[in-house]
Amino acid sequence: MRVFPDKIVAGGSAGLLATVVLLAAGPHVARAHSDNPQHIVRLGERVADLDLPARYRARQLLKRARFHRARGEAREALADLELARELGLKARSARGERGLVYEILGENKKALSRLDRFLAKGAPTVATLNARARLLAAAGRKRDALRDYASSLQLAPDIVVFVARGKLLEELGDYDAAVTCYREGIGRLGRAVLLEMALVRSELERGQGLVALRIIDDPRAPDRKGAAWSILRSRALELGKRTDDASAELDRALTEAGRRVAIRDTAISRLDRARLHEAMGNAVAARADVEAALKLAPTLQLALEMKSRLDTVGKNTGGEEEG
């Protein structure tokens, strides 16, 4: 029995999908630097110079807050914004910056309030539109989030934003609009793997197996190797009533995934093989690979999510799974 959970076909290989999740999750990537870069040091020197006007020092604090936010140092960024306000800074941009920082801190209501006020009184920025879209989506306001993503893409096309917008459309069940979104992204940005994989997923969801197969097998496309592409191709073949070919596709991919695990046993190679086991209906083998992946990388979010999904499958089937 072959199954195609959404999580399996939602991205590329485990490494590629991890990149998508990381980029889509928020506006920053935390970095563990013990030393501040020179521009932050220089800004600190200007802030500390009491001979400089307070207004000038406040603007240096705003600049430093942006650098801290970019480094994932949200608490430091917020402290700079607070001090800038004490020095009399009333710039609209500070309100937008505060909204971005609150999002990192997980204070979504405060973040949304600041971003709403920022966007209501002047020109939008890509960062603030994308941040508000993420917050609105998290609050269940998906249609409002779609509008912000659309406005962001008018300012600057971005692969991650196209994917995020398309995923929201999928969640709303509007696969026709999702396909249009992904095709627009490909038209504006070229044949990016993330966009083409998302496009294939949406074509499959609306039952267009032959269209999906043409995209996957296009000889002009980049190499389509990896577990996720094989799962997508198998599903397309299944939709086209080519059951034997669909099974053969997964069998070949599983053999290759096993070879990769034997060559280099990593959390990513284990997770790729787990996806194939899951697609083939073998939850027991999938769970074994996921547990092995978590021993190698205990905090790997994709593996944790897959383990949770497999545990749910076990409960729903009363513990009876195909071996």
Side-chain angles (χ1 to χ4, degrees):
M1 175 184 177
R2 287 173 296 280
V3 294
F4 299 95
D6 290 342
K7 292 288 184 181
I8 293 179
V9 296
S13 66
L16 181 59
L17 182 56
T19 303
V20 181
V21 171
L22 184 63
L23 291 172
H28 73 290
V29 177
R31 304 172 186 172
H33 293 301
S34 59
D35 57 327
N36 284 336
Q38 285 302 307
H39 49 256
I40 290 184
V41 173
R42 287 194 297 271
L43 288 169
E45 291 171 351
R46 295 171 194 165
V47 169
D49 188 347
L50 299 180
D51 291 332
L52 294 172
R55 191 174 184 178
Y56 175 82
R57 290 164 56 217
R59 291 198 169 276
Q60 303 312 297
L61 282 163
L62 176 57
K63 290 181 181 179
R64 191 170 70 175
R66 291 189 181 118
F67 284 121
H68 279 310
R69 174 176 57 80
R71 289 164 56 87
E73 299 162 351
R75 294 292 175 190
E76 291 86 344
L78 187 59
D80 277 350
L81 292 170
E82 293 289 354
L83 184 53
R85 183 160 60 182
E86 290 177 13
L87 290 175
L89 184 66
K90 296 180 180 179
R92 171 177 171 264
S93 56
R95 186 176 297 131
E97 186 64 29
R98 190 177 290 270
L100 298 176
V101 171
Y102 278 135
E103 187 201 4
I104 297 173
L105 291 170
E107 298 187 39
N108 290 5
K109 288 185 178 180
K110 288 184 178 180
L112 195 54
S113 171
R114 270 60 175 191
L115 291 169
D116 280 344
R117 291 165 64 190
F118 172 82
L119 290 165
K121 296 184 177 180
T125 67
V126 168
T128 53
L129 284 168
N130 290 341
R132 190 169 71 172
R134 288 189 295 268
L135 292 163
L136 290 168
R141 297 169 56 187
K142 295 180 181 180
R143 295 291 180 189
D144 292 333
L146 286 172
R147 282 192 287 272
D148 274 352
Y149 277 139
S151 296
S152 171
L153 289 170
Q154 287 178 356
L155 294 177
D158 183 277
I159 290 172
V160 173
V161 178
F162 274 115
V163 171
R165 187 171 187 272
K167 189 66 170 65
L168 277 181
L169 289 165
E170 291 179 50
E171 290 172 6
L172 289 166
D174 194 347
Y175 291 100
D176 291 345
V179 164
T180 299
C181 174
Y182 298 136
R183 288 191 182 278
E184 180 189 349
I186 292 167
R188 294 176 69 182
L189 296 169
R191 303 186 66 168
V193 173
L194 297 181
L195 287 170
E196 291 213 324
M197 190 165 280
L199 173 61
V200 168
R201 183 183 64 236
S202 284
E203 291 289 14
L204 290 172
E205 288 296 336
R206 64 178 188 165
Q208 297 296 318
L210 289 177
V211 174
L213 199 58
R214 281 198 295 269
I215 297 168
I216 297 169
D217 291 344
D218 188 341
R220 300 166 299 172
D223 202 0
R224 305 300 204 191
K225 291 181 179 179
W229 280 115
S230 290
I231 292 168
L232 289 168
R233 191 169 191 278
S234 178
R235 186 177 175 189
L237 291 166
E238 188 84 20
L239 283 173
K241 310 297 184 184
R242 296 168 59 182
T243 305
D244 290 344
D245 290 338
S247 295
E249 179 71 29
L250 292 180
D251 288 340
R252 282 193 297 270
L254 185 61
T255 299
E256 175 61 20
R259 187 185 69 82
R260 290 181 182 177
V261 170
I263 293 173
R264 191 178 181 197
D265 192 356
T266 67
I268 296 302
S269 63
R270 286 280 187 168
L271 198 54
D272 273 343
R273 189 168 71 176
R275 283 201 180 88
L276 287 161
H277 280 307
E278 187 180 15
M280 297 171 82
N282 193 343
V284 173
R287 187 177 291 109
D289 270 336
V290 168
E291 289 174 352
L294 287 170
K295 286 182 180 179
L296 294 165
T299 61
L300 183 60
Q301 187 62 33
L302 292 171
L304 291 169
E305 290 174 2
M306 190 171 182
K307 182 178 185 303
S308 176
R309 185 169 69 250
L310 289 168
D311 288 344
T312 300
V313 170
K315 291 176 182 177
N316 290 342
T317 58
E320 296 180 5
E321 298 161 340
E322 183 181 339

